[in-house]
Amino acid sequence: MKHWKQAIGSLALAGVLVAPAAMAFGGGESGQGRGFEYMVRQLELTEGQQAQLKANRESTREARMAQREQMIELRQQINEAIESGADQTTLDQLGEELGKLKVQQMQNHDTMKEQFKAILTDEQKAKLEQLKSERKERQMKRRDESSASQDTES
């Protein structure tokens, strides 16, 4: 059971690390419109840049959706295996498959980020770094406020 917990912990950590970068691409499939429009406004992307970003997203959409379906199916298999009392070897194998898919997903996401940065001008890249820094500061402030409020409650 120890290895299973480590695998889940690693996957959760991977998700946390990927989440901030996802915001640059609209925060996922369901929120792409708002995030994309925000980046267009903030970085003042030209129509040509917007078209290139859209083409990049569309070219990988089918593969991303297939990969997403694989992950959903694997998670379901893991849940069913746990409920049916599967042995640790089976759970470890399924966890390993899920982990490989997650790493692949992270690599694909990194490629998308690099494609995104490649179409930006130097000024836009600087603005993007500024936006990331500001977001990180807000997150740290919220985290500090949250921990301070938890300390006063105890």
Side-chain angles (χ1 to χ4, degrees), residues 23-26 32-54 57 116 119-120 124 127-128 131:
M23 290 187 64
F25 294 97
Q32 272 186 347
R34 286 190 320 231
F36 181 71
E37 290 170 13
Y38 175 79
M39 294 306 285
V40 167
R41 283 192 316 272
Q42 294 298 311
L43 298 178
E44 299 175 1
L45 299 179
T46 66
E47 288 193 24
Q49 288 173 315
Q50 292 176 47
Q52 182 63 47
L53 284 176
K54 186 174 183 178
R57 273 197 325 258
F116 174 71
I119 67 163
L120 298 178
Q124 289 169 327
K127 178 69 175 181
L128 178 63
L131 292 170

Side-chain angles (χ1 to χ4, degrees), residues 4 7-12 14 67-79 82 90-106:
W4 177 244
I8 293 297
S10 296
L11 290 174
Q67 189 176 50
R68 182 175 179 221
E69 290 300 318
Q70 283 181 304
M71 291 184 75
I72 290 169
E73 188 176 314
L74 259 174
R75 284 187 188 109
Q76 188 174 8
Q77 289 176 14
I78 291 169
N79 284 333
I82 290 171
T90 302
L91 293 174
D92 289 345
Q93 182 181 16
L94 290 170
E96 185 177 330
E97 288 178 46
L98 185 62
K100 286 179 182 178
L101 273 176
K102 188 64 178 174
V103 168
Q104 193 177 50
Q105 186 181 46
M106 292 171 71

Side-chain angles (χ1 to χ4, degrees), residues 1-9 78 82 86-89 91-92:
M1 193 63 162
K2 179 180 176 185
H3 298 291
W4 177 244
K5 289 179 183 177
Q6 288 175 340
I8 293 297
I78 291 169
I82 290 171
D87 63 355
Q88 189 61 44
T89 304
L91 293 174
D92 289 345

